[in-house]
Amino acid sequence: MAHESPTRTLAEPPSLELVLKRNSVERLKREKSPLGMVEELPALIAAGYADVPEEDIVRLKWWGLYHDKPKIGTFMLRIKLAAGRLTAAQVRAIGQLSVTYGKSEAELSTRQNVQLHNIRLDTLPAVMAALEDAGLTSLGGCGDAVRAITGCPAAGIAHDELFDVTDVLAEAHAFFTGHPDYVDLPRKHKISIGACAHRCWAPEINCISLVGVPGPGGAEGFAVLVGGGLSSVPRVARDLGVFVTKEQALPVLRALLDAWKEDLRYRLSRVKSRMKFMVDDYGPEGMRAEVERRLGCVLPDSRLEPLDREPADHLGVQPQKQAGLATVGVPVHVGLVSGEQLLRIADLAESVGGEVRITRQQNFLLADVPEHAVADAVRELEAIGFPPAGGIRGGSIACTGEPHCNYSVTETKTRLDGLIGHLERRFGEDVAPLRLHLDGCPHACAQHWVGDLGFQGTSVRDADGARQQAYDVYLRGALGPRAAVARPVFRRVPTGELDVLVEGLVAGWLERRVGSESFRDFCDRAGDEELGALAGRAPAPLRGKETT
């Protein structure tokens, strides 16, 4: 018997006329498809950057392009990858693009992509052609489309994975990239697919996550999580309560997307258009009912069991399931890498017959390294600028921020670098387990809601009334066995006071922890007043539905 939607009163769907009246992005998508913008590049270049209509600048987002800051004619280019996988030749192509067109600046992102900066409008045809020649694309890197599908960077090679999801992930990536039915979504959409034993790929915070589980009779398949996401309204994804075979994976993804994209309620306001708001309205049972109605069948019941371990980072040397091969995972401090470094990484990967896998923590793995070549590979990676040690540098994340991002109101990568350096000098290896996530705005690209210590850029006025950079400090967030959204315990901390505040919290944890108690567990046990005393600053009062 099919599951019925729960009884819930929803507002009547708006008319398309009302949607187009209120939502300018919906209008511009209907006036001209963003898919054709690459063909229009010669005309835009001929007109000159200053005369490119703002609507066309918005449409270029579908091709992974955002204004660099300031808006004077250069772009960030996001190269869209499937779970961060790159061949040696593809790494070399990206490195060469960075050197030739991007001032040798590149960064790794939390969706396992590579981003270039400083790309001029007049170079875009050559850049796009080079990507295509390398078997790469930026299509769907931004815009109202299915973004890069994330997953375990060690998929297919991890010695302890439940099963290999590579075929499912590749099928979904190929299907949704540029598909005309899925580039006119209400907003961006984030999917993750994995069967890592450690659930390293953050399934809790994606719109849809397929989580590998054993099914009846040992069948390979997935539990389905829906409605996760961060930004200014964070949500932990909820279990749909079904088991889906590998063969059903793509139809189920399509059914969920179709239910969402066809409901005009989620096109009226871009502020409340993400799938998580539909899940809020329908609940998991209602979403399941929609999927089963569209599939024409009832899916078997199944509940995703909680993890019994923390998510892995895949750093260090790890044996692969393939005999005689290993992965070497190295931290990329605050995600920054130069074009020259990418070229050297490509040479190394080629020399060992391996490939590169980008992680959601902005790090990378060198995969398929013969065991006899591991020591030499580690030495070469260190020579390139990536020492093998992980610790706080391997687990901490910063968004693009200043100087490139127009949304950021504070320094991000440089600020996190300074804070990490301060903690390392003060506490040494004791801070290795900490995960610091620093964002320059509420969009939460660095996932400040789920770090041990999360930071969101803001501003504050000093005694003379001058505005200066500041940060809200978030505590008690996590992924994994006890996934939770953090809350801002301290607000508007001036940047000059941030190191001292964090030092006080960390010192208190190290002095007062019980046994091997984690920082998050310590914060859970300690009340806000105790944390305020350690930080030397009064905690912010609770707002609305916030709880300690």
Side-chain angles (χ1 to χ4, degrees):
M1 179 177 177
H3 291 259
E4 296 183 358
S5 300
T7 302
R8 187 183 182 98
T9 303
L10 296 176
E12 285 295 315
S15 65
L16 179 59
E17 181 182 19
L18 182 59
V19 168
L20 297 179
K21 178 180 179 181
R22 292 192 181 179
N23 192 327
S24 62
V25 178
E26 290 296 318
R27 289 198 304 274
L28 73 82
K29 288 188 293 185
R30 280 161 175 75
E31 289 166 358
K32 183 170 64 176
S33 171
L35 289 182
M37 290 307 300
V38 167
E39 284 70 34
E40 292 192 23
L41 283 175
L44 298 180
I45 293 167
Y49 170 80
D51 291 324
V52 175
E54 185 59 31
E55 292 83 358
D56 282 343
I57 295 292
V58 173
R59 293 183 183 100
L60 285 172
K61 290 181 180 180
W62 271 252
W63 290 89
L65 293 161
Y66 276 103
H67 277 299
D68 266 334
K69 183 179 182 179
K71 297 180 179 181
I72 56 173
T74 61
F75 295 87
M76 179 201 83
L77 174 68
R78 180 177 295 152
I79 301 168
K80 180 181 176 181
L81 306 176
R85 294 186 65 168
L86 288 164
T87 66
Q90 289 172 331
V91 176
R92 181 174 293 107
I94 295 172
Q96 194 59 59
L97 286 173
S98 176
V99 170
T100 305
Y101 301 108
K103 298 183 179 179
S104 197
E105 295 182 17
E107 60 179 324
L108 310 184
S109 82
T110 54
R111 291 206 69 77
Q112 299 171 273
N113 295 316
V114 183
Q115 298 179 169
L116 306 181
H117 292 280
N118 311 301
I119 307 297
R120 298 196 322 269
L121 179 66
D122 64 321
T123 66
L124 284 176
V127 170
M128 295 296 182
L131 288 178
E132 185 175 3
D133 288 344
L136 295 167
T137 187
S138 63
L139 179 57
C142 310
D144 296 347
V146 175
R147 301 291 183 88
I149 299 177
T150 58
C152 173
I157 57 177
H159 64 90
D160 57 353
E161 69 179 354
L162 279 69
F163 58 87
D164 185 4
V165 303
T166 301
D167 54 346
V168 177
L169 199 149
E171 180 186 26
H173 173 79
F175 179 84
F176 288 117
T177 297
H179 194 299
D181 291 344
Y182 297 96
V183 293
D184 178 22
L185 301 176
R187 278 293 301 277
K188 61 185 175 184
H189 189 80
K190 298 181 177 180
I191 296 172
S192 73
I193 303 172
C196 171
H198 308 269
R199 295 184 199 163
C200 69
W201 71 98
E204 303 93 336
I205 55 174
N206 280 268
C207 304
I208 307 173
S209 291
L210 303 183
V211 182
V213 294
E220 296 178 348
F222 304 94
V224 183
L225 302 181
V226 293
L230 297 178
S231 193
S232 58
V233 186
R235 295 284 188 274
V236 173
R238 302 164 73 181
D239 190 353
L240 209 61
V242 299
F243 175 79
V244 174
T245 66
K246 293 173 74 173
E247 293 73 23
Q248 293 172 313
L250 183 58
V252 166
L253 291 173
R254 292 187 65 184
L256 283 163
L257 279 161
D258 290 347
W260 170 57
K261 74 186 181 70
E262 292 170 10
D263 193 329
L264 291 180
R265 295 180 186 91
Y266 306 103
R267 292 186 183 269
L268 190 61
S269 166
R270 291 184 68 78
V271 176
K272 290 196 172 183
S273 57
R274 295 284 298 277
M275 182 175 277
K276 61 188 173 184
F277 295 106
M278 185 177 188
V279 176
D280 285 349
D281 290 340
Y282 280 72
E285 283 291 319
M287 298 298 291
R288 175 177 180 170
E290 277 295 304
V291 170
E292 292 177 334
R293 180 179 69 81
R294 290 169 182 272
L295 293 179
C297 67
V298 177
L299 297 170
D301 293 335
S302 179
R303 291 291 168 188
L304 180 62
E305 294 298 322
L307 270 179
D308 60 357
R309 66 195 78 180
E310 294 296 321
D313 58 19
H314 296 287
L315 295 179
V317 178
Q318 303 288 337
Q320 294 184 192
K321 65 170 63 175
Q322 295 83 6
L325 297 179
T327 60
V328 181
V330 293
V332 178
H333 186 46
V334 299
L336 291 177
V337 58
S338 71
E340 288 84 1
Q341 285 176 318
L342 287 170
L343 292 173
R344 293 181 66 182
I345 293 167
D347 290 343
L348 175 59
E350 186 175 69
S351 72
V352 300
E355 64 178 27
V356 172
R357 313 277 190 99
I358 298 168
T359 81
R360 72 166 191 86
Q361 295 94 343
Q362 301 175 319
N363 303 317
F364 73 86
L365 315 181
L366 185 63
D368 300 329
V369 181
E371 289 179 347
H372 66 80
V374 165
D376 287 342
V378 169
R379 282 191 291 271
E380 178 61 17
L381 285 167
E382 188 163 11
I384 296 171
F386 303 106
I392 191 171
R393 291 175 179 254
S396 296
I397 300 169
C399 73
T400 298
E402 292 191 352
H404 291 302
C405 180
N406 286 283
Y407 296 110
S408 182
V409 297
T410 61
E411 294 180 4
T412 54
K413 294 185 183 295
T414 53
R415 189 64 190 87
L416 183 60
D417 172 63
L419 179 56
I420 288 174
H422 177 80
L423 295 176
E424 288 176 329
R425 290 188 294 272
R426 174 70 173 80
F427 301 106
E429 285 300 309
D430 286 342
V431 295
L434 289 180
R435 298 172 301 110
L436 277 55
H437 293 215
L438 194 150
D439 278 304
C441 82
H443 290 169
C445 297
Q447 306 167 355
H448 65 266
W449 293 103
V450 292
D452 289 327
L453 282 146
F455 309 92
Q456 180 188 305
T458 182
S459 62
V460 67
R461 294 192 183 278
D462 61 21
D464 298 323
R467 191 174 295 277
Q468 61 174 300
Q469 294 187 6
Y471 299 86
D472 291 339
V473 180
Y474 291 71
L475 302 174
R476 305 189 181 100
L479 299 172
R482 294 185 298 116
V485 170
R487 86 165 192 86
V489 178
F490 304 101
R491 289 189 179 273
R492 298 189 184 278
V493 180
T495 186
E497 301 174 19
L498 188 64
D499 287 5
V500 173
L501 181 144
V502 174
E503 179 183 334
L505 291 172
V506 173
W509 161 57
L510 293 173
E511 293 167 3
R512 302 181 187 184
R513 62 183 169 179
V514 178
S516 59
E517 186 176 44
S518 69
F519 182 82
R520 186 269 176 95
D521 287 340
F522 170 74
C523 290
D524 281 349
R525 180 168 59 83
D528 283 3
E529 294 304 319
E530 181 179 354
L531 295 174
L534 294 172
R537 187 180 186 89
L542 297 177
R543 295 181 179 178
K545 297 180 180 179
E546 289 180 353
T547 59
T548 56

